[in-house]
């Protein structure tokens, strides 16, 4: 982990960006493959794809650093979505780099990192096809993207595809605790829990919310985290769902209206309802499945644009009916 300074200006996501593959958490299988590649040095063309904030960019850079060491400055060309990457750049910048002479240890290759490759136009990707093949003895490509299907098939077929998935709660928790210790953040366990809940497996989001709560309030607890993240409070949502389980539709609707009136969009509310229903509500399995089904139907309507309070109220009513039909058990 990076050394600490008192500099509050540096975003923690950058300050604690791992430099080595060993420090990247989660996705063990993918990282194991990257580590083998880094050790052997003979890197194939790779596509690394996965959701935001899970360590793709970090891993590609760590891989190139480990493989190339001091030669990194000369032997790596990085282009991301902020650089123009049209067909001209493929024809000029990339081609010139592949032809550049760089002294490397035997068995090593120059590396071209194309970050956020899914934003490259199809014609630029087409132009890469032959370049990748012709210069494969000197240069290898590492592409990072969110969805591999946005990379044209011929490029996919030339690359090994490595997938990153969202990080687990434990992995994020461990990292947050390390950063809290390094930064001497005062926190309570429910604060970190709340950060993990809102981050949805995105480490960048988790670290940013941790820093925002710390610099805004000085103490990281549940209430402060939800003030910063401004998402519907899962505690409130849990109360609504419990009212439904008790079959008290009036109470559930009242609480839902109060939540809606605080200004959250139906989309945010329904997202939280789903996660709370799935993870926190304690009812028997059958009832839970039926409830999630109803939440799902409501989500479809909201996503279709019917995002009125009436839909949310209707969902509460249907959840009450599901609870009545199923013999549900709430813990005392
Ligand atoms: N697996 C991880 N282990 C440790 N830190 C991580 C991990 N994933 C993300 N981070 C933190 O989040 C920040 C952003 O990660 P990174 O840039 O690698 O995300 P990404 O996967 O490339 O996302 P995007 O798809 O948005 O480009 C890093 O600086 C690091 O602090
Ligand atoms: Mg990235």
């Amino acid at each position: 982990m990076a050394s600490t300074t008192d500099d509050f200006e540096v975003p923690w996501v950058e300050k604690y960006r791992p430099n080595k593959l060993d420090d990247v958490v989660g996705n063990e299988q993918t990282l194991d493959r990257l580590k083998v590649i880094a050790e052997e040095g003979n890197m194939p063309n790779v596509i690394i794809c996965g959701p935001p904030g899970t360590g793709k960019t970090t891993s590609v850079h760590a891989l190139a650093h480990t493989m190339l060491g001091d030669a990194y400055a000369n032997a790596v060309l990085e282009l991301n979505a902020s650089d123009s990457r049209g067909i001209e750049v493929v024809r000029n910048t990339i081609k010139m780099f592949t032809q550049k002479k760089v002294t490397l240890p035997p068995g090593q290759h120059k590396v071209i990192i194309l970050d956020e490759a899914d934003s490259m136009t199809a014609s630029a990707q087409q132009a890469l096809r032959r370049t990748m093949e012709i210069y494969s003895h000197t240069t290898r490509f590492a592409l990072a993207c969110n969805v591999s299907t946005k990379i044209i098939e011929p490029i996919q077929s030339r690359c090994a595809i490595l997938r990153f998935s969202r990080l687990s709660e434990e992995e994020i928790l461990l990292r947050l605790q390390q950063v809290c210790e390094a930064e001497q953040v005062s926190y309570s366990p429910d604060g970190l829990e709340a950060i993990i809940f809102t981050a949805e497996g995105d480490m960048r989001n988790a670290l940013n919310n941790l820093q925002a709560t710390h610099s805004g309030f000085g103490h990281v607890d549940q209430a402060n985290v939800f003030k910063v993240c401004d998402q519907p409070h899962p505690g409130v949502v849990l109360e609504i769902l419990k009212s439904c389980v008790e079959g008290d539709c009036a109470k559930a609707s009242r609480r839902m209206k109060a939540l809606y009136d605080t200004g959250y969009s139906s989309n945010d509310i329904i997202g939280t309802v789903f996660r709370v229903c799935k993870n926190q509500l304690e009812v028997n399995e059958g009832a839970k499945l039926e409830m999630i089904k109803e939440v799902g139907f409501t989500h479809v309507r909201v996503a279709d644009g019917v995002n009125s309070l009436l839909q949310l109220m209707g969902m509460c009513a249907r959840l009450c009916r599901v609870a009545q039909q199923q013999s549900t058990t709430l813990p005392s």
Side-chain angles (χ1 to χ4, degrees), residues 48-314:
I48 299 184
C49 59
T54 48
K56 299 179 301 297
T57 305
T58 311
S59 304
V60 187
H61 282 106
L63 174 72
H65 269 293
T66 319
M67 267 189 332
L68 298 166
D70 294 338
Y72 184 94
N74 289 324
V76 175
L77 172 70
E78 195 218 330
L79 295 171
N80 55 42
S82 67
D83 303 298
S84 69
R85 290 186 302 191
I87 196 158
E88 283 307 312
V89 174
V90 177
R91 283 187 189 138
N92 301 323
T93 319
I94 293 186
K95 224 166 175 177
M96 258 161 57
F97 180 81
T98 52
Q99 292 164 349
K100 189 171 97 173
K101 287 246 175 311
V102 177
T103 323
L104 286 172
Q108 298 279 24
H109 300 89
K110 285 178 285 182
V111 176
I112 297 183
I113 297 174
L114 295 173
D115 207 355
E116 291 122 28
D118 38 9
S119 66
M120 284 178 81
T121 59
S123 57
Q125 293 184 35
Q126 294 286 2
L128 265 185
R129 292 165 62 164
R130 197 67 185 127
T131 317
M132 265 182 161
E133 282 173 352
I134 297 177
Y135 298 101
S136 61
H137 59 290
T138 62
T139 311
R140 298 293 158 84
F141 287 77
L143 284 71
C145 61
N146 293 123
V147 265
S148 63
T149 45
K150 289 210 184 140
I151 308 286
I152 58 168
E153 273 192 24
I155 301 274
Q156 288 191 38
S157 119
R158 286 165 173 77
C159 297
I161 301 186
L162 303 175
R163 291 187 200 281
F164 271 60
S165 49
R166 291 184 188 280
L167 301 171
S168 73
E169 300 194 347
E170 294 77 30
E171 286 155 358
I172 296 187
L173 177 65
L174 209 66
R175 188 74 179 170
L176 288 179
Q177 284 171 335
Q178 288 170 349
V179 173
C180 283
E181 201 170 306
E183 292 291 336
Q184 293 169 349
V185 176
S186 117
Y187 68 92
S188 51
D190 66 346
L192 296 192
E193 239 171 63
I195 289 182
I196 292 167
F197 181 87
T198 51
E200 294 182 63
D202 178 341
M203 184 75 89
R204 184 193 287 122
N205 195 323
L207 289 175
N208 278 336
N209 287 342
L210 179 71
Q211 184 170 21
T213 315
H214 173 66
S215 52
F217 295 96
H219 179 68
V220 179
D221 62 10
Q222 198 183 42
N224 290 344
V225 170
F226 283 108
K227 272 184 216 156
V228 167
C229 301
D230 202 24
Q231 281 195 4
H233 198 299
V236 176
V237 173
L238 186 61
E239 288 306 315
I240 295 175
L241 289 174
K242 277 185 179 167
S243 308
C244 293
V245 172
E246 286 160 9
D248 192 342
C249 188
K251 203 165 155 196
S253 306
R254 214 171 34 245
R255 285 177 165 163
M256 182 59 90
K257 181 168 186 320
L259 184 63
Y260 187 84
D261 286 345
T262 48
Y264 293 113
S265 75
S266 304
N267 222 346
D268 284 350
I269 294 177
I270 200 84
T272 311
V273 168
F274 166 64
R275 279 184 290 145
V276 170
C277 184
K278 180 166 154 271
N279 300 326
Q280 298 184 8
L281 189 69
E282 298 191 21
V283 288
N284 67 44
E285 191 77 6
K288 187 175 274 195
L289 294 180
E290 284 299 315
M291 290 177 82
I292 290 177
K293 197 164 97 186
E294 287 302 340
V295 176
F297 285 138
T298 311
H299 195 169
V300 172
R301 291 187 197 109
V302 170
D304 270 350
V306 194
N307 52 8
S308 61
L309 176 62
L310 185 59
Q311 288 302 325
L312 298 175
M313 297 287 209

